mmCIF file of all heavy atoms in Angstrom:
data_model
loop_
_atom_site.group_PDB
_atom_site.id
_atom_site.type_symbol
_atom_site.label_atom_id
_atom_site.label_comp_id
_atom_site.label_asym_id
_atom_site.label_seq_id
_atom_site.Cartn_x
_atom_site.Cartn_y
_atom_site.Cartn_z
ATOM 1 N N ARG U 230 -9.804 17.261 -1.400
ATOM 2 C CA ARG U 230 -10.920 16.402 -0.986
ATOM 3 C C ARG U 230 -10.629 15.544 0.244
ATOM 4 O O ARG U 230 -11.433 14.730 0.605
ATOM 5 C CB ARG U 230 -11.314 15.518 -2.154
ATOM 6 C CG ARG U 230 -11.809 16.273 -3.421
ATOM 7 C CD ARG U 230 -12.929 17.286 -3.132
ATOM 8 N NE ARG U 230 -14.038 16.733 -2.366
ATOM 9 C CZ ARG U 230 -15.091 16.063 -2.849
ATOM 10 N NH1 ARG U 230 -15.182 15.871 -4.122
ATOM 11 N NH2 ARG U 230 -15.992 15.579 -2.054
ATOM 12 N N ILE U 556 -16.212 5.981 -0.159
ATOM 13 C CA ILE U 556 -17.652 6.029 0.127
ATOM 14 C C ILE U 556 -18.358 5.123 -0.867
ATOM 15 O O ILE U 556 -18.064 5.198 -2.069
ATOM 16 C CB ILE U 556 -18.177 7.481 -0.029
ATOM 17 C CG1 ILE U 556 -17.333 8.481 0.751
ATOM 18 C CG2 ILE U 556 -19.677 7.554 0.282
ATOM 19 C CD1 ILE U 556 -17.556 8.478 2.210
ATOM 20 N N LYS U 557 -19.231 4.272 -0.413
ATOM 21 C CA LYS U 557 -19.877 3.327 -1.324
ATOM 22 C C LYS U 557 -21.164 3.926 -1.930
ATOM 23 O O LYS U 557 -21.458 3.678 -3.101
ATOM 24 C CB LYS U 557 -20.253 2.034 -0.610
ATOM 25 C CG LYS U 557 -19.130 1.385 0.162
ATOM 26 C CD LYS U 557 -17.997 0.900 -0.730
ATOM 27 C CE LYS U 557 -16.893 0.292 0.085
ATOM 28 N NZ LYS U 557 -15.611 0.315 -0.565
ATOM 29 N N VAL U 558 -21.907 4.695 -1.131
ATOM 30 C CA VAL U 558 -23.208 5.213 -1.560
ATOM 31 C C VAL U 558 -23.379 6.571 -0.973
ATOM 32 O O VAL U 558 -23.033 6.786 0.175
ATOM 33 C CB VAL U 558 -24.344 4.278 -1.020
ATOM 34 C CG1 VAL U 558 -25.729 4.794 -1.521
ATOM 35 C CG2 VAL U 558 -24.178 2.838 -1.450
ATOM 36 N N ALA U 559 -24.005 7.506 -1.784
ATOM 37 C CA ALA U 559 -24.358 8.828 -1.221
ATOM 38 C C ALA U 559 -25.855 9.026 -1.410
ATOM 39 O O ALA U 559 -26.427 8.603 -2.393
ATOM 40 C CB ALA U 559 -23.584 9.914 -1.974
ATOM 41 N N VAL U 560 -26.474 9.647 -0.389
ATOM 42 C CA VAL U 560 -27.909 9.865 -0.412
ATOM 43 C C VAL U 560 -28.213 11.359 -0.444
ATOM 44 O O VAL U 560 -27.660 12.136 0.353
ATOM 45 C CB VAL U 560 -28.542 9.229 0.840
ATOM 46 C CG1 VAL U 560 -30.057 9.529 0.897
ATOM 47 C CG2 VAL U 560 -28.336 7.736 0.873
ATOM 48 N N PHE U 561 -29.079 11.767 -1.384
ATOM 49 C CA PHE U 561 -29.452 13.192 -1.507
ATOM 50 C C PHE U 561 -30.969 13.372 -1.469
ATOM 51 O O PHE U 561 -31.665 12.711 -2.238
ATOM 52 C CB PHE U 561 -29.027 13.805 -2.869
ATOM 53 C CG PHE U 561 -27.626 13.459 -3.365
ATOM 54 C CD1 PHE U 561 -27.457 13.330 -4.711
ATOM 55 C CD2 PHE U 561 -26.592 13.368 -2.520
ATOM 56 C CE1 PHE U 561 -26.171 13.038 -5.227
ATOM 57 C CE2 PHE U 561 -25.315 13.093 -3.010
ATOM 58 C CZ PHE U 561 -25.104 12.935 -4.369
ATOM 59 N N TYR U 578 -31.334 7.147 4.215
ATOM 60 C CA TYR U 578 -29.926 7.198 4.702
ATOM 61 C C TYR U 578 -29.746 6.257 5.923
ATOM 62 O O TYR U 578 -28.827 5.474 6.037
ATOM 63 C CB TYR U 578 -29.572 8.636 5.067
ATOM 64 C CG TYR U 578 -28.213 8.787 5.677
ATOM 65 C CD1 TYR U 578 -27.066 8.797 4.896
ATOM 66 C CD2 TYR U 578 -28.071 8.947 7.072
ATOM 67 C CE1 TYR U 578 -25.818 8.948 5.467
ATOM 68 C CE2 TYR U 578 -26.799 9.121 7.623
ATOM 69 C CZ TYR U 578 -25.670 9.104 6.836
ATOM 70 O OH TYR U 578 -24.446 9.229 7.391
ATOM 71 N N PRO U 589 -19.002 3.190 4.145
ATOM 72 C CA PRO U 589 -19.805 4.248 4.726
ATOM 73 C C PRO U 589 -20.717 4.891 3.677
ATOM 74 O O PRO U 589 -20.384 5.010 2.532
ATOM 75 C CB PRO U 589 -18.745 5.259 5.166
ATOM 76 C CG PRO U 589 -17.534 4.947 4.470
ATOM 77 C CD PRO U 589 -17.617 3.599 3.900
ATOM 78 N N VAL U 590 -21.909 5.329 4.202
ATOM 79 C CA VAL U 590 -22.866 6.033 3.338
ATOM 80 C C VAL U 590 -22.716 7.526 3.584
ATOM 81 O O VAL U 590 -22.549 7.926 4.734
ATOM 82 C CB VAL U 590 -24.308 5.553 3.679
ATOM 83 C CG1 VAL U 590 -25.316 6.274 2.818
ATOM 84 C CG2 VAL U 590 -24.424 4.049 3.524
ATOM 85 N N ASP U 591 -22.724 8.295 2.540
ATOM 86 C CA ASP U 591 -22.545 9.728 2.703
ATOM 87 C C ASP U 591 -23.927 10.445 2.568
ATOM 88 O O ASP U 591 -24.831 9.923 1.891
ATOM 89 C CB ASP U 591 -21.611 10.260 1.536
ATOM 90 C CG ASP U 591 -20.895 11.538 1.982
ATOM 91 O OD1 ASP U 591 -21.083 12.016 3.117
ATOM 92 O OD2 ASP U 591 -20.125 12.051 1.141
ATOM 93 N N TRP U 592 -24.004 11.612 3.164
ATOM 94 C CA TRP U 592 -25.246 12.432 3.073
ATOM 95 C C TRP U 592 -24.840 13.772 2.453
ATOM 96 O O TRP U 592 -23.838 14.332 2.904
ATOM 97 C CB TRP U 592 -25.813 12.626 4.478
ATOM 98 C CG TRP U 592 -26.889 13.664 4.570
ATOM 99 C CD1 TRP U 592 -26.702 15.004 4.877
ATOM 100 C CD2 TRP U 592 -28.287 13.506 4.362
ATOM 101 N NE1 TRP U 592 -27.905 15.641 4.868
ATOM 102 C CE2 TRP U 592 -28.898 14.753 4.544
ATOM 103 C CE3 TRP U 592 -29.066 12.391 4.002
ATOM 104 C CZ2 TRP U 592 -30.268 14.929 4.422
ATOM 105 C CZ3 TRP U 592 -30.412 12.604 3.863
ATOM 106 C CH2 TRP U 592 -31.041 13.795 4.055
ATOM 107 N N ASP U 593 -25.590 14.246 1.488
ATOM 108 C CA ASP U 593 -25.277 15.565 0.951
ATOM 109 C C ASP U 593 -26.550 16.296 0.572
ATOM 110 O O ASP U 593 -27.330 15.773 -0.212
ATOM 111 C CB ASP U 593 -24.321 15.453 -0.271
ATOM 112 C CG ASP U 593 -23.675 16.787 -0.627
ATOM 113 O OD1 ASP U 593 -23.979 17.809 0.076
ATOM 114 O OD2 ASP U 593 -22.849 16.822 -1.542
ATOM 115 N N GLN U 605 -19.242 13.784 -5.821
ATOM 116 C CA GLN U 605 -19.132 12.326 -5.534
ATOM 117 C C GLN U 605 -18.272 11.601 -6.609
ATOM 118 O O GLN U 605 -17.534 10.706 -6.285
ATOM 119 C CB GLN U 605 -20.525 11.663 -5.413
ATOM 120 C CG GLN U 605 -21.342 12.178 -4.229
ATOM 121 C CD GLN U 605 -20.739 11.811 -2.879
ATOM 122 O OE1 GLN U 605 -20.000 10.869 -2.760
ATOM 123 N NE2 GLN U 605 -21.064 12.610 -1.845
ATOM 124 N N ILE U 608 -14.588 11.807 -5.986
ATOM 125 C CA ILE U 608 -13.967 10.962 -4.894
ATOM 126 C C ILE U 608 -14.263 9.494 -5.170
ATOM 127 O O ILE U 608 -13.951 8.625 -4.349
ATOM 128 C CB ILE U 608 -14.467 11.374 -3.504
ATOM 129 C CG1 ILE U 608 -15.977 11.235 -3.352
ATOM 130 C CG2 ILE U 608 -14.011 12.823 -3.175
ATOM 131 C CD1 ILE U 608 -16.469 11.351 -1.921
ATOM 132 N N THR U 610 -17.319 7.753 -5.638
ATOM 133 C CA THR U 610 -18.483 7.044 -5.066
ATOM 134 C C THR U 610 -19.244 6.336 -6.161
ATOM 135 O O THR U 610 -19.743 7.020 -7.098
ATOM 136 C CB THR U 610 -19.399 8.083 -4.365
ATOM 137 O OG1 THR U 610 -18.598 8.821 -3.459
ATOM 138 C CG2 THR U 610 -20.563 7.408 -3.658
#
Side-chain angles (χ1 to χ4, degrees):
R230 300 305 313 274
I556 308 285
K557 309 295 180 204
V558 181
V560 176
F561 314 146
Y578 175 79
V590 179
D591 206 2
W592 167 267
D593 196 358
Q605 295 294 336
I608 62 168
T610 306

